[in-house]
Amino acid sequence: MNITLEAIAYKTAKRGVMKPTFCANVTLERGVENDIFGRPGKRQVTVMSKQQWQKACQQVNADLDWLTRRANLLIDGYEFSADDVGKTVSIGTELKLEITGETDPCKKMEMAHTGLEQALTPDWRGGVTCRVIQAGIIQPNDIITID
């Protein structure tokens, strides 16, 4: 099964609205262009699986927009697990991210929808945190490899 980039988003302010974008320059210094939290570190870019998001939504019996999760990238065709820490996520022809850990769901998820924080907790449904190891420009439908 192919893994593809489904969507991209960023936020320009702490607790700010997630802004979807049709392409993004992802750099070692800034993460996803314009994102307030893109500075270098283990949480430079957050990535979430469409399949895992759908499972969490089914658990709370709601069809929620992926932007509710506040992740930078939504991918289709893969589910994250603890085995992925240290792996490289290659998106398109240039971008390479290193998976550094799990994105823990927080109280913001509970405020967004009752039960969502708990629904995102099992099986890494909240997604993964990454650091940029090679910059690149990405857009939806880019092919992804994880190894």
Side-chain angles (χ1 to χ4, degrees):
M1 183 171 170
N2 280 341
I3 309 169
T4 56
L5 180 61
E6 181 95 355
I8 309 164
Y10 63 93
K11 58 185 163 291
T12 55
K14 212 173 176 180
R15 296 187 197 85
V17 174
M18 292 300 292
K19 300 178 181 191
T21 185
F22 294 107
C23 70
N25 185 19
V26 183
T27 66
L28 282 86
E29 304 77 31
R30 301 291 315 264
V32 176
E33 196 171 32
N34 301 317
D35 193 271
I36 189 170
F37 295 120
R39 64 189 170 277
K42 290 183 173 185
R43 289 184 57 112
Q44 198 170 17
V45 177
T46 51
V47 185
M48 180 176 71
S49 153
K50 181 179 181 180
Q51 286 70 26
Q52 287 169 300
W53 175 246
Q54 288 170 336
K55 285 180 183 175
C57 288
Q58 285 168 351
Q59 188 173 320
V60 297
N61 202 17
D63 184 15
L64 302 171
D65 189 301
W66 80 278
L67 295 172
T68 307
R69 180 62 187 107
R70 307 179 65 73
N72 294 123
L73 307 179
L74 179 68
I75 70 167
D76 187 14
Y78 190 81
E79 294 192 21
F80 293 106
S81 72
D83 295 338
D84 293 321
V85 175
K87 288 185 180 177
T88 300
V89 179
S90 302
I91 304 176
T93 57
E94 305 169 311
L95 183 64
K96 292 192 184 330
L97 305 173
E98 178 194 351
I99 297 174
T100 56
E102 182 177 11
T103 311
D104 295 317
C106 64
K107 302 249 178 294
K108 286 185 191 117
M109 297 302 100
E110 200 56 33
M111 287 163 27
H113 192 92
T114 304
L116 186 57
E117 184 179 2
Q118 186 179 353
L120 286 166
T121 301
D123 306 320
W124 290 55
R125 288 182 190 166
V128 294
T129 55
C130 300
R131 85 165 38 104
V132 180
I133 50 179
Q134 183 178 305
I137 294 174
I138 56 171
Q139 61 191 14
N141 299 317
D142 276 351
I143 299 297
I144 296 174
T145 56
I146 299 174
D147 49 45

